[in-house]
Amino acid sequence: MRLLIVGILRGDLITAAKIARERGASVAQVDGVEAARSHLRQGKGADLLMVDVQIDIRALCEGLAAEHMTAPIVACGGSNDKRAAVMAIDAGAKEYIPLPPDPELIAAVLEAVSRPETSIIFRDERMARVVQLAKQIAGSAASVLITGESGTGKEVMARFLHEKSERASQAYVS
């Protein structure tokens, strides 16, 4: 697992990097959008970009897309700033991690990204029932409407359903 941290390493991002290293990730750090693109252009690669919400995530996503480079982006920001989380996800981040980082949350994100297939990681019994229902639904040809607030994992659930369905060999369209 190669993690690229985009942003100035302050206390919380240093902690996140340390947690990632302890979980077996190789970690590199750059200061901004152009440095991140340059890092990836040089072939150093990254399996995951952890980006400070102070960075222009939309510009980063557009720049990567323009150069046909892909890597999931996880935004990181102070505490549970819902507005920052929504803005980051609207800009193209796949997830938002509040800082200071929770070691279990960092581990779960690294594990989910390092798996070859989409995984749903959960501990809550209610979520276990949702996943079980999704597995049952995936076997049918029924259309499914997934609702929820921004950042709650609707696309993760949609990918999970697609992978478990008879259409898994076909392209998934977000």
Side-chain angles (χ1 to χ4, degrees):
M1 160 64 73
R2 297 167 299 167
L3 172 64
L4 177 61
I5 295 178
V6 183
I8 297 172
L9 283 179
R10 296 182 315 272
D12 292 333
L13 280 177
I14 290 171
T15 303
K18 182 180 176 194
I19 293 167
R21 279 189 190 100
E22 289 171 356
R23 305 291 175 147
S26 67
V27 180
Q29 184 270 331
V30 295
D31 291 339
V33 173
E34 283 307 313
R37 291 173 61 189
S38 175
H39 177 89
L40 296 171
R41 239 185 259 121
Q42 293 172 10
K44 296 177 183 174
D47 299 308
L48 174 68
L49 276 66
M50 188 177 288
V51 182
D52 188 329
V53 292
Q54 302 301 317
I55 300 293
D56 187 350
I57 294 173
R58 186 172 310 283
L60 178 59
C61 290
E62 289 171 357
L64 294 177
E67 296 188 51
H68 305 288
M69 295 185 284
T70 59
I73 295 174
V74 174
C76 300
S79 68
N80 283 322
D81 184 352
K82 292 178 183 173
R83 283 182 50 185
V86 169
M87 288 174 58
I89 289 170
D90 284 345
K94 297 293 182 196
E95 192 59 67
Y96 176 84
I97 296 177
L99 297 175
D102 173 4
E104 293 304 315
L105 183 57
I106 297 285
V109 168
L110 293 174
E111 183 179 337
V113 170
S114 65
R115 289 186 183 178
E117 64 181 59
T118 301
S119 303
I120 297 181
I121 299 170
F122 57 91
R123 283 188 247 170
D124 187 78
E125 190 171 312
R126 290 176 291 183
M127 189 62 189
R129 290 194 301 263
V130 170
V131 170
Q132 183 59 38
L133 179 63
K135 288 178 182 176
Q136 291 172 342
I137 292 170
S140 76
S143 295
V144 178
L145 174 65
I146 303 171
T147 63
E149 293 182 31
S150 180
T152 58
K154 296 179 297 293
E155 186 170 340
V156 171
M157 183 57 70
R159 286 182 189 276
F160 180 79
L161 281 167
H162 178 76
E163 286 178 358
K164 303 298 179 193
S165 76
E166 292 179 11
R167 294 178 239 168
S169 62
Q170 299 173 8
Y172 170 79
V173 179
S174 177

